[in-house]
Amino acid sequence: MYQSSIGICLTSKDNYSMLEEWLNLYDYDGIHILNIDVGSSSENVLLGKDICAKYNVDYLESSDPSMQICLDEAANFFTEKNINWFIYTHQDTYPLDKFFFETLCNTYLPAMETHSLGMVG
């Protein structure tokens, strides 16, 4: 299993079927994933929590749906987990090959080690 030094942050609002599809398109084993819910209905909050638990994805309900707040919450979450880089993405994007995260972590991010926290968008 590859152990990544980065995390992935997604936001969801009543679109958990897309999240489950996204989780099945690529093997994210070893990658820490955070899903931030930005205002789903009560029914979809329960569905989101179930899907996140099923796939070992951390779930967080945002205090505010604005992108800036969500990214700040993600930065705080990943900092607490000692993860210094995270990717903010959507459920309609995914890595094109199985070496994407290794290449990112071993080739591109070391050149920017002077940063204490960073985000790739």
Side-chain angles (χ1 to χ4, degrees):
M1 174 179 83
Y2 172 69
Q3 188 61 43
S4 176
S5 58
I6 61 171
I8 296 175
C9 173
L10 300 143
T11 56
S12 297
K13 182 177 180 182
D14 296 325
N15 62 342
Y16 284 102
S17 62
M18 287 179 64
L19 175 63
E20 189 161 32
E21 182 179 348
W22 181 85
L23 289 164
N24 283 298
L25 289 173
Y26 184 85
D27 180 8
Y28 295 97
D29 194 31
I31 309 291
H32 205 113
I33 301 173
L34 170 65
N35 181 76
I36 301 177
D37 190 283
V38 293
S40 292
S41 67
S42 300
E43 181 180 306
N44 276 289
V45 164
L46 294 176
L47 176 62
K49 288 179 179 179
D50 287 345
I51 290 171
C52 288
K54 176 181 176 181
Y55 291 94
N56 198 30
V57 170
D58 283 294
Y59 178 92
L60 175 71
E61 286 185 54
S62 182
S63 63
D64 184 306
S66 67
M67 180 181 286
Q68 295 87 345
I69 298 298
C70 290
L71 295 179
D72 188 51
E73 290 172 336
N76 291 333
F77 175 86
F78 286 121
T79 298
E80 288 177 10
K81 302 284 185 190
N82 293 319
I83 295 173
N84 294 330
W85 289 94
F86 69 94
I87 296 172
Y88 172 75
T89 190
H90 295 275
Q91 292 92 340
D92 61 353
T93 61
Y94 53 91
L96 293 177
D97 67 44
K98 65 181 182 176
F99 302 109
F100 173 80
F101 293 107
E102 285 184 76
T103 302
L104 180 65
C105 291
N106 295 332
T107 304
Y108 296 106
L109 295 182
M112 297 184 258
E113 283 184 2
T114 59
H115 301 290
S116 60
L117 178 71
M119 182 190 78
V120 178

